[in-house]
Amino acid sequence: MNGLHLTADLLDCTATGLLVDEAGLAAQCRTAVVAAGLQPVAERWHRFPAGPAGAGGLTGVVLLAESHLAVHTWPERAGVTLDVYVCNFGRDNSARAEALLATLLALFSPARHRLQRLQRGLDDAPPSPGATGEP
């Protein structure tokens, strides 16, 4: 279960066309995943309908052998949220996750952003009293 979970909130992105281009965004994400040395195994994308503020955004996930990349766009805010999680069970994928996030930051080129890094897992600690070990 040990892994690294990265999140990023991006605002005022300059790559606004990509925020509504499902095929283009999916292709860029696949390319970034492979360039980072991670293994895509499946993906799913959803386009939201246009609203009073204009074009609808996109939500997509690229499932990785190592875990996942999730992308959510808000074209009306020139905003994106990113979620990169990698498992570090067989090898340490932390540098790969950081490289993927850096590529996506450069792709969207936000004027403002907030990044968060969470180390996940229990380091093989014994279960807490009363815990069943089930997810």
Side-chain angles (χ1 to χ4, degrees):
M1 292 184 357
N2 295 335
L4 177 62
H5 197 158
L6 306 173
T7 65
D9 302 315
L10 317 179
L11 288 172
D12 303 320
C13 296
T14 59
T16 55
L18 199 54
L19 305 185
V20 295
D21 178 3
E22 183 177 341
L25 181 55
Q28 290 284 349
C29 286
R30 283 190 301 273
T31 298
V33 162
V34 171
L38 298 167
Q39 182 182 352
V41 295
E43 65 183 80
R44 177 81 168 115
W45 295 88
H46 175 77
R47 174 185 303 281
F48 290 93
L58 303 167
T59 288
V61 64
V62 179
L63 298 176
L64 308 174
E66 301 83 4
S67 197
H68 70 271
L69 160 66
V71 180
H72 310 280
T73 73
W74 283 270
E76 68 277 10
R77 299 188 68 202
V80 177
T81 61
L82 302 170
D83 182 86
V84 177
Y85 178 56
V86 293
C87 175
N88 287 333
F89 182 71
R91 69 177 183 190
D92 187 350
N93 290 299
S94 298
R96 292 172 183 86
E98 295 280 1
L100 175 56
L101 185 61
T103 296
L104 294 172
L105 282 171
L107 176 67
F108 291 112
S109 188
R112 300 181 289 145
H113 67 275
R114 180 179 58 189
L115 307 178
Q116 297 180 69
R117 290 168 174 83
L118 174 65
Q119 293 293 325
R120 296 187 64 181
L122 299 174
D123 294 324
D124 296 327
S128 302
T132 64
E134 295 297 318

